[in-house]
Amino acid sequence: MHLIAQLASGQGIEQGGWRWPTEAAGAFINEDIYLKAAQLAEKAKLDGLFMTDVPSVNVDLRNQPPQASLDPVVLMALMAKATERLGLVATMSTSLSEPYTIARVMRSLDLVSKGRVGWNVVTTGTQEVLLNYFPGVLDHSHKHARALEVWEAVLRLWGSWPEGALKLDKAGIFADAAQIQPINFEGKYVTTRGPILLPPSPQGQPVIFTAGGGQYGYAFAATKADAMYSNPPTLDYAKAFWRELSASIRQAGRNPNQFTIYNGIGVSIASSEQEALQRRARLDEMGDPASRRQYLSHMLGIPVAELPLDAPIPAALLQRARPNARDQRSPYAYDLAMKGFTIRQVLAHGPINYHPIFLGTPEQVADKFQLWFEAGVGKGFCVVPDSGLESLTDFVEQVVPILQKRGLLRTEYSGTTLRQHLGLPYQNGFPDKD
Amino acid sequence: MHLIAQLASGQGIEQGGWRWPTEAAGAFINEDIYLKAAQLAEKAKLDGLFMTDVPSVNVDLRNQPPQASLDPVVLMALMAKATERLGLVATMSTSLSEPYTIARVMRSLDLVSKGRVGWNVVTTGTQEVLLNYFPGVLDHSHKHARALEVWEAVLRLWGSWPEGALKLDKAGIFADAAQIQPINFEGKYVTTRGPILLPPSPQGQPVIFTAGGGQYGYAFAATKADAMYSNPPTLDYAKAFWRELSASIRQAGRNPNQFTIYNGIGVSIASSEQEALQRRARLDEMGDPASRRQYLSHMLGIPVAELPLDAPIPAALLQRARPNARDQRSPYAYDLAMKGFTIRQVLAHGPINYHPIFLGTPEQVADKFQLWFEAGVGKGFCVVPDSGLESLTDFVEQVVPILQKRGLLRTEYSGTTLRQHLGLPYQNGFPDKD
C-alpha cells in the first residue's frame, strides 16, 4: 500500500479545523506546521506530502482560511530541507505558469531535495483563480490543449541538460556544452527556446502526477502521468475507476503496476467509534453546520435543515426520501438516515465530505484502508486528517503502525528518491525509444 | 554605511571563481553555499543578501556556470529559514511574471522571514531570457509601461489585506472579511481581481528595490523605489549619479535620506596589495583571459591581445593609446598602462570588471569604502566577492570589523525587519495621503 498525506492551508479537511482547541488557528501562514507534517510523514515512511494550490480567496474568510495561502514553492523548498527521504508533490497549474518557470522551479526543488519531487499537473478552470491572472470573463476552452504543450515543453526542457553533461573539472571544463542545446519548442499556446540552466537531479526529473478529473484528466493520467490523486466518492466508484484506468494504461502500452493512484480519504481517529463521531460532530459545529444541513436535504430530497439535530428524521418524512442521483454519496447518507441515526450523527459520518471518511478506532480505520486496498482500488491513498496536524499525528502514530504490522506498509525506505519510492526508473526528458 | 552582499551562481564576480581551489566547483546548484553566505552576512550585521535573476543559459557553459540557476524563490525561502535578522532581496522581473504571482510569492517570503524581504523590480530586455518565455523576435517596447502596471497592481494586492483584518478568534471569527476586498485592477498589460490571500508581514510589505538602468529605471527609482542597486563604473560617476538621483527624489516630494543606494563593488582581499593583484591575476587566468585582453585593446585603442603578458606595453605603442570614450572605465585602464604596469597587472586591477574593484589588504579595502562613502555616493554598497564564499568570508571577517571599529557600520541590528534596517516605516499597500 502506498500513502501520501495532505494538509491544505496547514489544516485538515474540515472547514472548522482552525478552531479545534489543540490546532494552531494561524496554521495557514505558519510554515512550521507544514514542516512538522512533513517530518511526521517521513517518520511514518509515507511516499510523500501533497500540496494542492488554489491561488485565490474562494472561501468565506469570516469563518475559514483560504485553501492554499502560502506559495507552494516556498513551502516545498522548506520541506525539502527539513526532510531527507520524503517525496514532495507540488501542484503547478499549466494555465497559470510558463513552461520555463515550471521546469526551472521544479528542477530547483528536485535538486535541493536530492530527487524527491513530484509535479502535479493540473489545469485551472476556477473563475475566481483565473480572474486573479487574466482579464474579463474567460474562454479557457483551450486549457487542455495548452496543458499538453506545457507538459511536453517542460519535459523537453528537463531533457535539454542530460545526465553527465556537467563536468565541474577545475582544470577548466565546466560542462560539455555541446550536449546542452536549445529545444526551440513552438506550440500554439506556449513557446520556449531553452536549454534549461540546471542539471538533472538524482532521480532525473520530477515524477508526473495529475489530479485532473474529466475526460482530459483521465486521458492524461492513462497516457502520460506516473501517479494520480483521485477523488472517488465511494468504494464502488474507486474500484470501477481503477479497473478502467488500469485498462486504459495498458492500452496505452504502459504498465499499470508502475502507476500509483492515491485515493483521497479523510480520517477521524478516536478511542471508540462513538467518540470519533462525537469528534466529528464537534468539528461540524465549528464549520458551517447550516449549509451542511441544507446540503443533506438536497441529498435526501426532503427538508431536514430545520429539524432537531439530536433526533432521527421522522419516519413519515423519511418515507419520502430518495437518494439524489446526481451525487454518488447520497445513498450513503440515505442508508445512515434509514438506520435511525440522528441528523447530527448522519452528518458526523461524513457523507457530504469531499472525501470518504474512515472513522473510529485506529484498528477500525486500518481495517477500512485494508478493505479498500484489497477490494482493488489501486495502490494507494492520500490521507487527509480532519482537524489538522494533531489529527495527522494520530494517524501516523496510531494507524500507520497497524498497517505496517499487517505487512501493508513499508517500515523503512528502500530508496532515496521519489521515483524509487514508487518503483519508477530514472528518467530525464522523454525516455529513449525502445 | 549600508552594505548588502551578493553571490551570483553561488560564486563571486570572477568568471573563473568556480575553479578557485578552495571554492566549491558546483556552488551554482548547492543551496548550502547560499545559506552559508546568508549566515555570514548576518553575522556581519549587513542589511541583506541580494539575489539577481537571469533565467537563461546566456554564458558559455564550457567554462562557467549560468548567472542564476537555482530559482531565487527557492533559495530565498531557505535563507529566510536559516537566518533571523538579515534582509533578503529577490529579483522578480515584471516582464516574466504576473502581479498575483509576484504579490503572493513575495508576501509568502516576507511572512516566512517575519518581515525581511525586498522585491527588486526589474524589466527584462535580454533576448536570450525573453525567448525562453515568449515567441519569436520580440517587441518589448511596452516593458516599462507594463512594469509600472505590475508594480501598482502588486502594491494594491498587498494592501487588499489590511493589518488587523485577521482575527483568528476560535470563537468563530477567522477574519474581518469586509476589510479584505477585490482590487479589480485593470491595466493595459495586466489585470488582477484580488484580494491577496495572505495578511501583511511584520513590516507590512517588502521593501521596493530597483536595479534598472536607463531613464525609466532612473524615474522608477526616484519616484517609487525605497532602494536601488546601482552599477557606477567610476567614483566620479557614482558621486554625480547620487547627486542627481537625490535631487530627483526630493523633486518627487520624497526624502532622499530614506533612500538607500547600493553601489556595486567587487572586493579582492589579501595580506598585501601585491598578493591581491596576484590573486586576481590567477583568477583572470581561470576565466577567459583571451577575451579580456581583446577588450583591453578596445579600451585603449591599441592591439595588446598578442603582446607578452608579463611586460609593460611598449612605449611606442602606448603613445598611440587613447581611452575609449564609450566606456567610462577606460581612463582607469589607460592610467594603469601609463604607470608601466604589465598587461597582466593592468587586468588584475580590474578595470574591465563589471564592478569597480577594491583590492589590497583589509585596511586598504576598508579605506576605499570609506573614501567613496565620504565622497558622497549615497548610503551604501553591494559587496561582490571575487571568487565566492571564501572571498566573502574574508570580507566579513577582515574588512567588516575595521568598518565597524571606525563607526561606519552597525555592530548590532537595532530592528528585526528590513524596513527597520533601512529606516523605513511600516507600509502595506499605498500609504494614506497626508
Side-chain angles (χ1 to χ4, degrees):
Chain A
M1 188 187 298
H2 284 255
L3 296 185
I4 52 174
Q6 185 188 351
L7 210 62
S9 274
Q11 68 171 61
I13 196 180
E14 299 298 337
Q15 178 182 333
W18 68 276
R19 293 179 61 192
W20 191 257
T22 50
E23 300 286 1
F28 82 119
I29 48 169
N30 183 350
E31 73 283 0
D32 288 330
I33 298 292
Y34 293 87
L35 298 187
K36 283 181 189 159
Q39 288 165 339
L40 270 175
E42 182 165 75
K43 193 177 143 200
K45 321 295 177 193
L46 266 46
D47 287 351
L49 203 83
F50 185 92
M51 299 285 301
T52 184
D53 195 30
V54 187
S56 82
V57 176
N58 64 343
V59 299
D60 185 346
L61 288 176
R62 286 178 300 182
N63 54 29
Q64 62 181 308
Q67 285 180 268
S69 293
L70 290 169
D71 185 72
V73 177
V74 170
L75 290 172
M76 291 280 287
L78 298 180
M79 292 192 290
K81 209 64 188 165
T83 57
E84 290 178 354
R85 295 290 192 96
L86 187 72
L88 298 163
V89 185
T91 300
M92 279 190 91
S93 168
T94 56
S95 306
L96 305 179
S97 291
E98 297 302 314
Y100 204 85
T101 303
I102 295 173
R104 183 190 188 204
V105 164
M106 285 288 161
R107 175 146 283 180
S108 296
L109 292 170
D110 211 25
L111 285 165
V112 167
S113 69
K114 300 188 169 60
R116 295 185 285 126
V117 166
W119 171 31
N120 183 35
V121 181
V122 301
T123 59
T124 300
T126 313
Q127 286 289 314
E128 285 97 333
V129 175
L130 291 170
L131 288 171
N132 285 335
Y133 292 84
F134 307 109
V137 178
L138 294 160
D139 169 25
H140 265 254
S141 56
H142 66 279
K143 69 178 180 176
H144 297 293
R146 179 182 159 107
L148 287 180
E149 288 188 7
V150 172
W151 164 80
E152 184 184 339
V154 168
L155 262 72
R156 291 205 183 285
L157 284 169
W158 283 339
S160 68
W161 189 313
E163 200 189 5
L166 183 64
K167 300 301 182 193
L168 297 183
D169 177 353
K170 285 199 175 184
I173 305 164
F174 183 79
D176 180 355
Q179 291 186 50
I180 303 165
Q181 292 294 334
I183 60 164
N184 297 312
F185 182 89
E186 291 187 29
K188 189 169 167 197
Y189 303 102
V190 296
T191 70
T192 181
R193 195 179 73 153
I196 193 72
L197 32 55
L198 290 162
S201 85
Q203 71 174 350
Q205 71 197 12
V207 176
I208 300 295
F209 277 66
T210 185
Q215 67 177 102
Y216 289 99
Y218 182 90
F220 186 86
T223 60
K224 294 173 181 63
D226 306 306
M228 182 180 201
Y229 186 148
S230 177
N231 288 305
T234 65
L235 173 57
D236 285 340
Y237 179 99
K239 282 159 63 180
F241 186 82
W242 176 242
R243 194 166 52 237
E244 283 168 39
L245 181 61
S246 53
S248 300
I249 291 170
R250 200 172 289 110
Q251 214 164 4
R254 306 168 72 223
N255 181 357
N257 294 327
Q258 285 199 337
F259 190 96
T260 312
I261 188 167
Y262 296 97
N263 294 281
I265 299 292
V267 294
S268 286
I269 300 150
S271 51
S272 71
E273 186 173 338
Q274 205 50 41
E275 275 180 38
L277 284 171
Q278 281 162 11
R279 173 185 173 87
R280 293 190 51 76
R282 196 172 161 200
L283 274 165
D284 273 356
E285 281 302 314
M286 292 176 166
D288 188 353
S291 78
R292 287 190 174 230
R293 294 200 284 269
Q294 279 296 350
Y295 195 79
L296 184 61
S297 304
H298 171 73
M299 274 180 152
L300 298 177
I302 52 173
V304 303
E306 306 298 328
L307 295 177
L309 268 172
D310 290 311
I313 298 170
L317 185 61
L318 203 49
Q319 274 191 335
R320 298 190 351 242
R322 294 288 176 277
N324 188 321
R326 285 207 297 265
D327 189 326
Q328 297 188 54
R329 302 167 300 179
S330 297
Y332 181 41
Y334 178 80
D335 285 350
L336 291 164
M338 292 299 283
K339 280 181 182 159
F341 282 111
T342 67
I343 292 176
R344 194 192 297 278
Q345 287 169 330
V346 169
L347 289 167
H349 278 83
I352 68 175
N353 271 94
Y354 185 63
H355 298 295
I357 302 296
F358 292 178
L359 64 87
T361 65
E363 287 284 341
Q364 287 176 308
V365 172
D367 289 348
K368 225 38 190 316
F369 278 103
Q370 184 165 359
L371 175 76
W372 277 53
F373 181 62
E374 292 175 349
V377 299
K379 280 188 191 177
F381 301 94
C382 179
V383 177
V384 191
D386 54 11
S387 59
L389 187 65
E390 186 210 54
S391 160
L392 182 63
T393 309
D394 288 346
F395 178 80
V396 160
E397 293 183 351
Q398 296 173 37
V399 179
V400 164
I402 297 171
L403 294 170
Q404 288 174 328
K405 211 167 169 185
R406 294 181 189 175
L408 292 168
L409 268 189
R410 71 167 72 89
T411 53
E412 283 303 332
Y413 290 110
S414 57
T416 57
T417 69
L418 180 56
R419 286 187 178 274
Q420 289 168 344
H421 299 343
L422 303 192
L424 296 168
Y426 177 99
Q427 187 183 330
N428 185 37
F430 285 94
D432 293 326
K433 296 235 174 14
D434 291 333
Chain B
M1 188 188 298
H2 284 255
L3 296 185
I4 51 176
Q6 185 187 353
L7 210 62
S9 275
Q11 68 171 59
I13 196 180
E14 299 298 337
Q15 178 182 333
W18 69 277
R19 293 179 61 192
W20 191 255
T22 49
E23 300 286 0
F28 82 118
I29 49 169
N30 184 348
E31 73 283 359
D32 288 329
I33 297 292
Y34 293 88
L35 296 186
K36 283 180 190 158
Q39 287 165 340
L40 270 174
E42 182 166 78
K43 194 177 143 200
K45 321 296 178 194
L46 266 46
D47 288 351
L49 204 81
F50 185 92
M51 299 287 299
T52 184
D53 195 30
V54 186
S56 83
V57 177
N58 64 342
V59 299
D60 185 346
L61 287 176
R62 287 177 299 182
N63 54 29
Q64 63 181 309
Q67 285 180 268
S69 292
L70 290 169
D71 184 73
V73 177
V74 170
L75 290 172
M76 290 280 288
L78 298 180
M79 291 193 290
K81 209 63 189 166
T83 57
E84 290 179 353
R85 295 291 192 95
L86 186 72
L88 298 163
V89 185
T91 300
M92 280 190 91
S93 168
T94 55
S95 306
L96 305 179
S97 292
E98 297 302 314
Y100 204 85
T101 302
I102 295 172
R104 184 192 187 200
V105 164
M106 285 288 160
R107 174 146 284 181
S108 296
L109 293 170
D110 211 26
L111 284 165
V112 167
S113 68
K114 301 188 169 60
R116 295 184 284 127
V117 167
W119 171 31
N120 183 36
V121 181
V122 302
T123 59
T124 300
T126 313
Q127 285 289 313
E128 285 98 332
V129 175
L130 291 170
L131 287 171
N132 284 335
Y133 293 85
F134 307 109
V137 177
L138 293 160
D139 169 24
H140 266 255
S141 55
H142 66 279
K143 69 178 180 175
H144 298 292
R146 180 184 158 107
L148 288 180
E149 288 187 8
V150 172
W151 165 80
E152 185 185 338
V154 168
L155 262 71
R156 292 205 182 284
L157 284 169
W158 284 339
S160 69
W161 189 314
E163 200 190 4
L166 184 63
K167 300 300 180 192
L168 298 183
D169 177 353
K170 284 200 176 184
I173 304 163
F174 184 78
D176 181 355
Q179 291 186 48
I180 303 165
Q181 293 293 335
I183 60 164
N184 297 312
F185 183 89
E186 292 187 28
K188 189 168 166 197
Y189 302 102
V190 296
T191 69
T192 182
R193 196 180 72 153
I196 192 73
L197 31 55
L198 290 162
S201 86
Q203 70 175 349
Q205 72 197 12
V207 176
I208 298 295
F209 276 65
T210 185
Q215 67 177 100
Y216 289 99
Y218 182 90
F220 186 86
T223 60
K224 293 173 182 62
D226 306 306
M228 181 180 202
Y229 186 147
S230 178
N231 287 305
T234 65
L235 173 56
D236 285 340
Y237 178 99
K239 282 159 62 179
F241 186 82
W242 176 242
R243 194 167 51 236
E244 283 167 39
L245 181 61
S246 53
S248 301
I249 291 170
R250 200 172 289 110
Q251 213 164 2
R254 305 167 73 223
N255 181 356
N257 294 327
Q258 286 200 335
F259 191 97
T260 311
I261 188 168
Y262 295 97
N263 294 281
I265 299 292
V267 293
S268 286
I269 300 151
S271 52
S272 71
E273 186 172 341
Q274 205 51 39
E275 275 181 39
L277 283 171
Q278 281 163 11
R279 174 186 173 87
R280 293 191 51 77
R282 195 170 163 202
L283 274 165
D284 274 355
E285 282 303 313
M286 292 176 168
D288 187 354
S291 77
R292 287 189 175 230
R293 294 200 285 270
Q294 279 295 353
Y295 194 80
L296 184 62
S297 304
H298 171 73
M299 273 181 152
L300 299 177
I302 51 174
V304 302
E306 307 298 328
L307 295 178
L309 268 173
D310 290 311
I313 299 170
L317 185 61
L318 203 49
Q319 275 190 336
R320 301 195 341 248
R322 295 287 176 278
N324 188 322
R326 286 207 296 266
D327 189 327
Q328 297 188 52
R329 302 166 300 179
S330 297
Y332 181 42
Y334 178 80
D335 285 349
L336 291 165
M338 291 299 283
K339 279 181 184 160
F341 282 110
T342 67
I343 292 177
R344 194 192 297 279
Q345 287 169 330
V346 168
L347 289 167
H349 278 84
I352 69 175
N353 271 94
Y354 185 62
H355 297 294
I357 303 295
F358 293 179
L359 64 85
T361 65
E363 286 283 342
Q364 286 176 308
V365 172
D367 289 348
K368 227 35 192 317
F369 278 104
Q370 183 166 0
L371 175 76
W372 277 52
F373 181 61
E374 291 175 349
V377 300
K379 280 187 191 179
F381 302 93
C382 179
V383 178
V384 191
D386 53 13
S387 58
L389 188 64
E390 186 210 55
S391 160
L392 182 63
T393 308
D394 289 346
F395 178 79
V396 159
E397 293 184 351
Q398 296 173 36
V399 180
V400 164
I402 297 171
L403 294 170
Q404 287 174 329
K405 210 167 169 186
R406 294 181 189 175
L408 291 168
L409 268 189
R410 71 165 74 88
T411 53
E412 284 302 333
Y413 290 110
S414 57
T416 56
T417 69
L418 181 54
R419 287 189 177 273
Q420 288 167 345
H421 298 344
L422 302 192
L424 296 168
Y426 177 100
Q427 186 184 331
N428 185 36
F430 285 94
D432 293 328
K433 297 237 176 6
D434 291 333

